[in-house]
């Protein structure tokens, strides 16, 4: 089929396509904030799928509310926590002092005439929220489509966990950011000398399968030998690595990396969880851990600096991709190759099944 692509390919998506994209992503858990960035007794603003949210701990429990007061729409996250008799901690709006209980119901209006009831419509929507892997995760739908992903070995006490890093937002859609991490054939072109080598540019053989709520990819590939990762021969210029990738649809990717010929049981874990703030604005949270070199500093400067370089190299490519939202396969705008692009094809296929790819 011939597809007329000029206008939709290069212009921003229609308002309708953007709305559908946000709707399609609502039933999933998204990371919105490092838990360490939320003080014990203050609210914090955040944004998910173009929706302002306030995250706050009330009576020791996490609460996620729409960050808009029901009175005159001031931002609740500018307010403060105060106690209201019978409700404990509540979030008080900074404008006229209306207070909202953890379930979003307004429970105190200072200007109310005595004897009158607070209208039940004075309620702010609240959302599912939980904390895991050092992040606060929110789901905006009534029922999450999948459970929050379990990241292999990340909770294992044998592993030394590095700092959780937050990258400044990329001007790109979340699935494209995940696909850049999943794509294992761009290394020789984008990351030559770091994790790719044009002398070993042949795509790896992939095994790709679904396991419950996640997609798995298993590969072996030759990479330049970088000093701070599981490896068998420090002196060789290249090494063969074995990667087991876990993708929690749609927004989390986790790599378990070992030397291919390794019998030493050394594992390096790297994971990314991305937050779709807006259709073309995506934040990335990044974590790593390892089960060796426990006596070395947790913060490994060379390794972290290399990750920064890799991400900068990826960023200019991903921000250049058009259309902004993944085009459905049927448009034939993309030309994925088999078997080289198999992980990307399978990831996108799953997104399509879940309605996350949007017609351009
Ligand atoms: S706008 Fe929030 S109390 Fe008036
Ligand atoms: Fe990359």
């Amino acid at each position: 089929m011939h597809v007329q692509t000029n206008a939709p390919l290069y212009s921003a998506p229609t308002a309708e396509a953007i709305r559908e994209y946000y709707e399609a992503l609502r039933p999933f858990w998204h990371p919105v904030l490092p838990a360490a960035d939320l003080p014990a007794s203050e609210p914090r603003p955040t944004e998910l799928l173009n929706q302002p949210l306030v995250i706050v701990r009330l009576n020791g429990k996490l609460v996620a509310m729409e960050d808009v007061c029901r009175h005159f729409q001031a931002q609740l996250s500018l307010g403060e926590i105060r106690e209201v008799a019978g409700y404990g901690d509540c979030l008080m709006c900074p404008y006229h002092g209306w207070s909202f209980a953890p379930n979003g119901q307004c429970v105190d209006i200072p200007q109310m005439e005595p004897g009158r009831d607070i209208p039940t419509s004075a309620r702010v929507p609240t959302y599912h929220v939980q904390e895991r892997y050092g992040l606060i995760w929110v789901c905006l739908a009534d029922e999450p489509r999948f459970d929050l992903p379990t990241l292999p070995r990340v909770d294992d006490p044998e592993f030394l966990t590095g700092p959780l890093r937050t990258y400044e937002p990329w001007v790109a859609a979340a699935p494209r950011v995940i696909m850049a991490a999943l794509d294992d054939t761009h290394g020789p072109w984008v990351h030559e000398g770091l994790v790719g080598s044009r002398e070993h540019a042949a795509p790896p053989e992939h095994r790709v399968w679904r396991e419950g709520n996640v997609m798995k990819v298993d590969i072996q590939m030759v990479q330049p030998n970088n000093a701070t990762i599981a490896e068998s021969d420090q002196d060789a210029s290249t090494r063969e690595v074995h990667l087991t990738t876990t993708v929690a649809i749609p927004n989390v990717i986790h790599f378990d990396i070992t030397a291919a010929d390794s019998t030493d049981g050394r594992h390096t874990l790297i994971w990314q969880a991305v937050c779709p703030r807006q259709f073309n604005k995506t934040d990335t949270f990044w974590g790593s851990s390892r089960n060796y070199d426990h006596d070395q500093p947790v913060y490994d400067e060379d390794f972290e600096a290399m990750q920064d370089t890799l991400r900068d190299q990826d960023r200019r490519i991903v921000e250049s991709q058009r259309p902004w939202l993944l085009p459905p396969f049927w448009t034939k705008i993309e030309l994925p190759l088999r078997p080289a692009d198999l992980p990307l094809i399978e990831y996108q296929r799953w997104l399509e099944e879940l309605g996350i790819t949007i017609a351009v």
Side-chain angles (χ1 to χ4, degrees):
M1 179 184 6
H2 178 71
V3 178
Q4 295 288 334
T5 57
N6 288 358
L9 189 59
Y10 302 118
S11 55
T14 63
E16 180 61 12
I18 294 170
R19 197 191 60 74
E20 285 180 13
Y21 173 77
Y22 292 147
E23 276 303 308
L25 287 176
R26 283 175 79 90
F28 299 91
W29 286 101
H30 298 281
V32 294
L33 202 66
D37 289 359
L38 181 66
S41 54
E42 279 176 48
R44 277 287 175 271
T46 189
E47 182 183 32
L48 174 59
L49 301 173
N50 203 39
Q51 180 167 327
L53 295 172
V54 52
I55 309 291
V56 62
R57 292 184 199 276
L58 299 176
N59 306 309
K61 289 177 87 171
L62 270 176
V63 172
M65 281 185 203
E66 193 174 83
D67 196 10
V68 180
C69 181
R70 280 292 280 128
H71 184 213
F72 284 132
Q73 292 73 55
Q75 205 177 343
L76 291 171
S77 56
L78 297 173
E80 59 191 75
I81 298 172
R82 71 172 269 248
E83 217 176 303
V84 175
Y87 298 96
D89 289 344
C90 292
L91 184 58
M92 185 178 75
C93 178
Y95 202 177
H96 312 90
W98 290 27
S99 291
F100 297 87
N103 68 358
Q105 184 61 48
C106 183
V107 293
D108 186 46
I109 297 181
Q111 301 80 15
M112 194 99 170
E113 286 177 16
R116 293 186 62 178
D117 289 337
I118 294 173
T120 51
S121 58
R123 171 187 277 271
V124 174
T126 57
Y127 303 100
H128 299 286
V129 60
Q130 56 177 311
E131 186 174 338
R132 196 182 295 174
Y133 306 124
L135 290 168
I136 292 167
W137 304 73
V138 171
C139 174
L140 295 177
D142 291 342
E143 282 305 321
R145 179 75 170 71
F146 294 145
D147 290 340
L148 197 59
T150 303
L151 301 180
R153 297 189 159 104
V154 169
D155 279 338
D156 187 333
E158 295 285 299
F159 280 70
L160 185 67
T161 301
L164 181 73
R165 297 155 66 83
T166 303
Y167 283 90
E168 66 178 66
W170 285 9
V171 184
R176 289 212 185 269
V177 177
I178 290 293
M179 287 170 83
L182 182 60
D183 182 313
D184 51 38
T185 60
H186 73 278
W189 282 270
V190 180
H191 310 299
E192 167 82 330
L194 281 179
V195 293
S197 157
R198 289 184 197 185
E199 284 163 30
H200 300 276
E205 271 184 39
H206 304 104
R207 258 191 344 117
V208 184
W209 71 101
R210 292 185 188 183
E211 209 174 278
N213 292 341
V214 300
M215 188 181 99
K216 293 273 196 180
V217 182
D218 203 79
I219 61 168
Q220 292 200 178
M221 65 192 301
V222 175
Q223 292 188 325
N225 203 354
N226 291 301
T228 49
I229 218 161
E231 62 198 276
S232 55
D233 181 356
Q234 300 267 354
D235 299 326
S237 61
T238 58
R239 53 160 185 192
E240 187 153 19
V241 293
H242 182 185
L243 266 96
T244 304
T245 306
T246 304
V247 185
I249 305 290
N251 54 5
V252 183
I253 186 163
H254 169 287
F255 303 98
D256 186 339
I257 309 161
T258 57
D261 57 355
S262 164
T263 51
D264 61 10
R266 288 177 159 218
H267 291 264
T268 304
L269 311 181
I270 294 176
W271 57 274
Q272 294 177 25
V274 304
C275 177
R277 305 285 186 203
Q278 297 172 7
F279 78 92
N280 61 354
K281 180 180 173 192
T282 300
D283 275 5
T284 300
F285 304 103
W286 187 97
S288 69
S289 49
R290 61 175 191 251
N291 65 345
Y292 55 92
D293 285 353
H294 277 212
D295 49 343
Q296 300 294 317
V298 174
Y299 185 84
D300 183 327
E301 280 183 20
D302 291 345
F303 185 49
E304 307 271 322
M306 182 177 87
Q307 298 302 322
D308 287 348
T309 305
L310 293 173
R311 290 197 58 75
D312 282 345
Q313 291 171 335
D314 282 331
R315 179 179 185 170
R316 61 189 278 273
I317 303 295
V318 175
E319 290 190 341
S320 79
Q321 287 179 289
R322 296 293 179 275
W324 293 97
L325 302 175
L326 284 179
F329 285 132
W330 66 261
T331 62
K332 300 226 174 15
I333 290 173
E334 294 175 318
L335 209 54
L337 288 182
R338 281 180 180 277
D341 296 323
L342 191 59
L344 302 177
I345 293 168
E346 291 303 317
Y347 171 75
Q348 190 167 337
R349 184 193 302 280
W350 203 343
L351 292 190
E352 287 207 9
E353 284 176 27
L354 295 164
I356 300 174
T357 15
I358 310 296
V360 289

